Amino acid sequence: MELKEGNGEGIDSWKEVTLIYNAALKMIETKMEILNDEFQHVHRYNPIEHIKARIKTPESIVKKLKRDGHESTIDNMIKYINDIAGIRVICSFTSDIYRIADMISEQRDIRVIAVKDYITFPKASGYKSYHMIVTVPVYLSDRTVDTKVEIQIRTVAMDFWASLEHKIHYKFEGDAPEEIRIELVECAKMVADLDARMLKLNEEILAISGGRRD
């Protein structure tokens, strides 16, 4: 694995890349935690179950650049790879997904540059999740670097399904047997049905309790 150094965005080493992208992750995580705390204070309800954060490995970055026909440089990594820093926000109900996405979009220092709604338009495999590519300013001692972060928002059930699909994808190197692919799609339908039923049940409980969430 080799990433050649460059001068794009003033970032010229892998150590500096990890410093900046880790800082961006910390900023997004902190924002999510504050919004969740505020939601608890105002509505007595936490839309976020938990948050996972990760930095893409150099090996994965180089593989993706080569697959897309780009030379493995720091410049190209920053320009073409949108998910070097990734945050996964796990929530209870599908209605929470769009609520969280709206809260993120309304943050003044976060700029949304792309959205992929795999909830409304699932992948053929059955994959469902809400993806946002955003930029957040990372303030260094001598400059500010607008840094891209991919945010994935999904329910607990969707995350369980996606984790299994990810394992199967790497186990079979993207070419799983047909019977497994068919079974995965069927499981995705079951997950969607479970999410819909759980949301309906929660709404019925809220209606009976007069809207109280505790």
Side-chain angles (χ1 to χ4, degrees):
M1 190 289 299
E2 180 183 3
L3 278 168
K4 298 179 183 178
E5 294 187 357
N7 294 308
E9 298 294 321
I11 303 171
D12 57 12
S13 73
W14 175 248
K15 283 186 178 181
E16 192 170 3
V17 166
T18 54
L19 183 151
I20 290 171
Y21 280 95
N22 271 312
L25 284 181
K26 288 177 183 177
M27 291 180 69
I28 297 289
E29 277 191 280
T30 300
K31 283 179 175 293
M32 292 293 93
E33 290 167 1
I34 291 170
L35 288 170
N36 207 35
D37 290 344
E38 181 199 14
F39 211 87
Q40 171 66 38
H41 174 70
V42 176
H43 303 285
R44 302 175 74 180
Y45 167 65
N46 294 113
I48 299 173
E49 289 286 338
H50 58 274
I51 300 169
K52 302 175 183 176
R54 65 101 185 98
I55 295 289
K56 208 173 188 69
T57 65
E59 290 78 13
S60 294
I61 292 169
V62 168
K63 186 176 180 180
K64 194 167 186 176
L65 285 171
K66 287 182 177 178
R67 186 187 67 198
D68 295 339
H70 302 300
E71 188 180 3
S72 301
T73 66
I74 297 289
D75 288 351
N76 284 344
M77 179 184 75
I78 294 165
K79 182 177 181 180
Y80 295 112
I81 308 297
N82 292 327
D83 62 343
I84 296 172
I87 291 272
R88 189 172 302 151
V89 182
I90 312 301
C91 53
S92 298
F93 306 106
T94 50
S95 58
D96 292 329
I97 292 172
Y98 296 101
R99 183 178 291 119
I100 293 165
D102 287 342
M103 290 193 298
I104 293 169
S105 300
E106 290 166 5
Q107 294 289 295
R108 291 172 60 184
D109 57 349
I110 291 180
R111 183 168 66 95
V112 179
I113 59 178
V115 167
K116 290 184 179 179
D117 186 355
Y118 296 117
I119 307 297
T120 305
F121 305 102
K123 292 185 180 182
S125 65
Y127 176 85
K128 299 181 84 172
S129 186
Y130 192 91
H131 292 197
M132 305 174 75
I133 304 297
V134 306
T135 61
V136 62
V138 173
Y139 300 100
L140 302 176
S141 61
D142 58 346
R143 67 194 189 281
T144 301
V145 182
D146 287 328
T147 307
K148 287 184 287 188
V149 177
E150 183 190 58
I151 303 173
Q152 298 179 358
I153 314 169
R154 60 179 68 149
T155 65
V156 175
M158 291 174 194
D159 190 53
F160 178 49
W161 183 94
S163 295
L164 179 59
E165 187 211 28
H166 183 77
K167 291 175 184 176
I168 290 171
H169 178 82
Y170 279 93
K171 176 72 173 178
F172 294 100
E173 297 183 344
D175 189 26
E178 180 67 16
E179 63 270 18
I180 290 180
R181 291 201 297 268
I182 291 172
E183 185 65 21
L184 264 178
V185 172
E186 288 303 310
C187 286
K189 293 176 182 176
M190 293 169 65
V191 165
D193 180 61
L194 175 62
D195 272 335
R197 293 175 67 179
M198 293 293 283
L199 176 60
K200 184 173 182 292
L201 179 60
N202 186 60
E203 289 172 344
E204 290 174 357
I205 292 168
L206 290 175
I208 292 169
S209 62
R212 289 183 292 106
R213 293 179 180 270
D214 57 336

